[in-house]
Amino acid sequence: MLLKAKNLITGDGETCMEDAALRLDRKGKIEWIGSQTEADMLYPQETVRDYKEATILPGLFDMHVHFGYYYSQPDRENYDDYMIAFYALQQAAYSLQLGITSIRDLSSPHNLLKQLRLAGEKGYVRVPRITHADAGICMTGGHGHEDGIEEADGPWEVRKAIRRQLRGGADWVKILTSNRGDIPEFTQEELDAAVDESHRRGYKTAVHAGTQPSIQMCIDAGFDTIEHGTFMTVEQGRQMARKGIAWVPTITAYTYLYQETKKLIDEGGDTSNPIAARAVRDQAFFEPAYRAYRDNFKKIYDTGVKVLAGSDMVLYGAPPLPIHQELAYMVEYGITPLQAIRTATLNAAEVLGKEKETGSLAPGLEGDILVVEGNAARDIKALDQVIEVFLAGETVFSK
Ligand SMILES: [Zn+2]
């Protein structure tokens, strides 16, 4: 089958071909990419899907999701294991509708993502490609301990928790070491042990670190991805670029929290009720967080640190998996749409070690493809208008 469109973005951050065509083979892999004129000569008999003025680009990656995060649901008590599985399945459905064909889950209830992937392989359900870190690990009483994160203290307990999660089938390790204050949770010794245990076993490890000095401690420990890095300095961006540590800023989640808490304060007035009181307190964190992303994103990007798109949206009532919005913020803060798309395609595949399988459009790779209205190389908002989504060459969503 031949797909044709006015624009084709390969995912390398630079290339947008005009009047392009892409051939999918019978196994759902990309066999050939070229111009429409060449395609007509080479494959005159082929079935053609012509998307006219649209853009063809690689299926997107969301590098920071929590498919099983039901903790913010107002009727949380209804969520037993069955309901959590249905909830996760709904997240998977959303992702495919949005053109997200690969996800990295960085903490969900134990075994949930492993079983969701298996159910997908068995053909019971349709899910994106899944990489997961099982439940994640924090210190006793640390960030996320009320939301199902496994607690461990001291280097050997941390190592043991990692061993347990890898034995259970985790593909990545996730550590959480900062909350909304400046006091780091894990000690340097514990962080070093986490990285050593993961790396010597051949696994990569992500760490939630948003404040100082946690960010520096995690750079020193040598994690593979730093999640949030909200108050990261430009100098730290340079260090990460040198050490090959990638950055998943999650701008949208923090901006949304800033806007929502601001709305509550602006409209509320009475700060004596607990929700408003909390909003006022949280605003002291979210407002500088929002400003830090807005003012520093481009400067840090320019250090050459590898940036990855992750949504991390777990709030009740918020738009699910807002990866399009994440890319839109990156563009608003100074990079090009093609560079932003790379953070959700080739960069992500490289960090996951899947670049020979998916993450860009090139012959030999899987047919994980997103087709959107308009020219996404010029206007990132084009990603909001999804026409069709392919996973391994099969249509999984069409408008
Ligand atoms: Zn998260």
Side-chain angles (χ1 to χ4, degrees), residues 232 234 247 291-301:
M232 185 191 294
V234 176
W247 178 37
R291 287 176 195 282
Y293 286 119
R294 188 195 61 190
D295 300 341
N296 302 333
F297 174 77
K298 177 64 162 56
K299 291 178 203 150
I300 298 174
Y301 180 92

Side-chain angles (χ1 to χ4, degrees), residues 60-67 91 94-95 98 100 250-256 309-315 318-330 344 381 383-384:
L60 304 176
F61 288 60
D62 189 332
M63 290 293 276
H64 192 131
V65 303
H66 301 283
F67 272 11
Q91 297 288 308
Y94 282 140
S95 77
L98 294 166
I100 299 164
T250 67
I251 304 164
T252 311
Y254 286 84
T255 305
Y256 184 84
S311 64
D312 193 28
M313 188 60 85
V314 294
L315 283 167
L321 310 167
I323 214 69
H324 300 175
Q325 181 60 55
E326 184 71 10
L327 302 187
Y329 279 129
M330 291 184 191
K381 285 286 173 195
L383 296 188
D384 293 341

Side-chain angles (χ1 to χ4, degrees), residues 2-5 8 17-23 32-36 39 56:
L2 275 176
L3 311 183
K4 289 183 177 176
L8 185 146
M17 297 165 59
E18 280 196 12
D19 299 315
L22 176 154
R23 186 175 196 231
W32 177 91
I33 296 176
S35 74
Q36 295 186 8
I56 297 174

Side-chain angles (χ1 to χ4, degrees), residues 206-228:
V207 65
H208 173 123
T211 52
Q212 308 289 2
S214 291
I215 295 171
Q216 189 60 50
M217 290 167 76
C218 293
I219 294 171
D220 293 344
F223 282 89
D224 298 283
T225 64
I226 291 187
E227 309 301 310
H228 319 301

